């Protein structure tokens, strides 16, 4: 009986163990069949928050644009359209144009009726006119809105001529080349001849250029002082090829060897007083030593 009881207890224990094992195996199968919940990624949350913030920011910008900027943009578009439509060239006037026919100048500047008036500018017009009309020194454009442009011209005048490589160049007081001729006979009367140092650039409509860049400064200052002197009207020609050995031709009868341009104004006054002491028909060379000394060498008179 004892053994039988033990056998029964063992049978009961084995049945109980079977039940536990069966339940555990069932739980394992269920756990393998089910999907474990995934752990939330923090980066996904941050991306979602960023998207929400971007959407709100964009919506705010749209609201600001529609409420504040859009009216301003519409006003600007209206103003630009108004200007482009109404500010059109209808009238063009010329002032101080004397040396050339107005019809020729008008064709050369290539300005058209109904073009936008603010495109009429003096730089472009001067560039177009410089080659064909060299006496026109400057052009100023004045606009009377909405449709009128006034062109105010400044013209150069021929003052001198110079001889360069078998050609004759007419130049203004500012040393702009106004014309070029192959013969001296083509020159207008009343022009003074000036002899210049070597020239590097001589083109009609443009200023002369010299190999010595500083020479132009000297020349401009010298001519300004000469024009204010009492003897300038009587000077027929000037040799300025050497700034330290200036020679003036007075009335085609007296060659004034002036020297350099130091104290030029005072020296010219002395030249005038020295010439006034000579007879009106005397010819020769007047050598200016300084502002107080001069030597006159008369030219021998011709005899029959």
């Amino acid at each position: 009986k004892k053994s039988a009881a033990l056998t029964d207890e063992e049978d009961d224990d084995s049945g109980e163990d079977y039940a536990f094992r069966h339940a555990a195996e069932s739980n394992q199968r269920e756990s393998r069949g089910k999907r474990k919940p995934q752990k939330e990624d923090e980066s996904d949350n941050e991306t979602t928050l960023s998207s929400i913030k971007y959407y709100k920011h964009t919506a705010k910008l749209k609201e600001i644009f529609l409420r504040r900027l859009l009216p301003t943009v519409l006003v600007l578009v209206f103003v630009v359209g108004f200007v482009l439509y109404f500010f059109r060239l209808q009238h063009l006037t010329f002032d101080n144009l004397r040396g050339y026919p107005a019809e020729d100048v008008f064709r050369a500047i290539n300005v058209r009726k109904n073009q936008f008036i603010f495109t009429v500018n003096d730089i472009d017009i001067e560039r177009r006119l410089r080659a064909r009309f060299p006496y026109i020194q400057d052009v100023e454009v004045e606009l009377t809105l909405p449709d009128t442009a006034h062109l105010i011209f400044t013209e150069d005048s021929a003052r001198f001529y110079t001889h360069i490589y078998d050609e004759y160049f007419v130049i203004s007081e500012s040393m702009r080349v106004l014309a070029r001729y192959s013969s001296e006979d083509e020159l207008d009367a009343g022009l003074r001849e000036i002899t210049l140092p070597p020239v590097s650039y001589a083109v009609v409509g443009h200023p002369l250029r010299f190999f010595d860049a500083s020479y132009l400064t000297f020349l401009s200052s010298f001519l300004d002082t000469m024009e204010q002197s009492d003897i300038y009207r009587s000077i027929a020609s000037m040799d300025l090829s050497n700034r330290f050995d200036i020679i003036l031709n007075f009335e085609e009868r007296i060659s004034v060897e002036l020297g350099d341009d130091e104290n030029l104004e005072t020296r010219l006054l002395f030249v005038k007083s020295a010439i006034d002491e000579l007879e009106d028909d005397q010819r020769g060379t007047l050598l200016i030593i300084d502002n107080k000394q001069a030597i006159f060498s008369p030219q021998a008179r011709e005899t029959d």
Side-chain angles (χ1 to χ4, degrees):
K1 290 182 180 178
K2 183 177 181 180
S3 60
L6 291 173
T7 304
D8 292 337
E9 290 178 1
E10 292 175 359
D11 292 340
D12 292 339
D13 292 338
S14 62
E16 186 177 356
D17 293 339
Y18 175 79
F20 286 128
R21 288 197 304 270
H22 182 71
E25 292 175 357
S26 298
N27 290 335
Q28 291 177 358
R29 285 194 300 270
E30 290 179 1
S31 64
R32 285 196 300 267
K34 293 182 179 180
R35 185 177 182 181
K36 293 182 180 180
Q38 294 182 351
K39 187 178 180 180
E40 295 184 357
D41 193 350
E42 294 180 358
S43 61
D44 294 341
N45 293 334
E46 293 177 358
T47 303
T48 304
L49 291 175
S50 299
S51 299
I52 294 173
K53 290 180 180 179
Y54 175 77
Y55 174 77
K56 290 182 177 180
H57 181 68
T58 304
K60 187 176 181 180
L61 289 178
K62 290 181 179 179
E63 182 181 358
I64 293 174
F65 176 77
L66 293 175
R67 290 186 178 183
R68 301 180 184 179
L69 298 181
L70 184 59
T72 304
V73 172
L74 293 177
V75 171
L76 290 176
V77 171
F78 174 78
V79 171
V80 171
F82 177 83
V83 170
L84 291 176
Y85 182 79
F86 287 99
F87 287 77
R88 298 287 176 174
L89 182 64
Q90 300 295 327
H91 307 284
L92 183 67
T93 64
F94 291 169
D95 294 331
N96 298 333
L97 181 64
R98 297 181 297 271
Y100 302 102
E103 295 80 4
D104 296 342
V105 174
F106 174 75
R107 284 193 292 267
I109 62 178
N110 195 28
V111 174
R112 301 178 305 278
K113 187 176 182 180
N114 290 322
Q115 79 176 67
F116 187 44
I117 192 170
F118 293 105
T119 60
V120 182
N121 65 85
D122 48 4
I123 297 177
D124 182 61
I125 292 176
E126 186 175 329
R127 178 182 58 82
R128 294 176 182 274
L129 297 181
R130 188 179 297 277
R132 289 189 56 186
F133 309 99
Y135 279 81
I136 296 178
Q137 179 183 8
D138 183 59
V139 181
E140 181 182 355
V141 177
E142 290 186 357
L143 301 179
T144 302
L145 301 179
D147 59 2
T148 303
H150 305 279
L151 303 187
I152 303 173
F153 295 88
T154 301
E155 295 187 5
D156 253 334
S157 56
R159 304 295 294 275
F160 313 101
Y161 76 91
T162 190
H163 188 205
I164 305 174
Y165 297 121
D166 298 328
E167 290 186 311
Y168 296 86
F169 292 80
V170 178
I171 53 182
S172 69
E173 181 182 358
S174 60
M175 294 294 109
R176 286 182 63 244
V177 180
L178 304 180
R180 183 178 67 180
Y181 301 107
S182 58
S183 171
E184 191 175 4
D185 297 334
E186 301 177 75
L187 297 171
D188 295 333
L191 297 178
R192 289 182 176 87
E193 181 182 10
I194 57 175
T195 304
L196 299 173
V199 173
S200 63
Y201 183 83
V203 177
V204 174
H206 298 269
L208 286 173
R209 298 179 190 171
F210 301 91
F211 289 102
D212 181 0
S214 65
Y215 182 82
L216 189 60
T217 302
F218 152 76
L219 186 61
S220 176
S221 175
F222 178 85
L223 293 177
D224 287 343
T225 305
M226 278 294 303
E227 289 187 352
Q228 298 172 10
S229 69
D230 295 333
I231 66 171
Y232 180 70
R233 293 180 178 274
S234 302
I235 299 299
S237 62
M238 296 176 284
D239 185 348
L240 306 178
S241 57
N242 186 344
R243 69 176 75 182
F244 302 105
D245 187 18
I246 300 170
I247 300 175
L248 308 178
N249 186 344
F250 183 85
E251 293 183 352
E252 297 287 356
R253 63 185 181 90
I254 298 176
S255 177
V256 181
E257 296 184 2
L258 192 65
D260 58 26
D261 63 331
E262 184 178 359
N263 298 321
L264 181 60
E265 187 175 355
T266 303
R267 187 168 297 191
L268 291 175
L269 290 174
F270 178 67
V271 169
K272 182 179 184 304
S273 64
I275 292 178
D276 289 343
E277 294 180 0
L278 302 175
E279 297 180 5
D280 292 342
D281 60 346
Q282 276 191 299
R283 295 175 176 271
T285 301
L286 181 65
L287 174 62
I288 305 300
I289 299 176
D290 53 32
N291 296 338
K292 297 181 180 179
Q293 299 182 47
I295 299 176
F296 179 71
S297 301
Q299 179 181 343
R301 296 178 181 272
E302 296 181 359
T303 58
D304 295 336

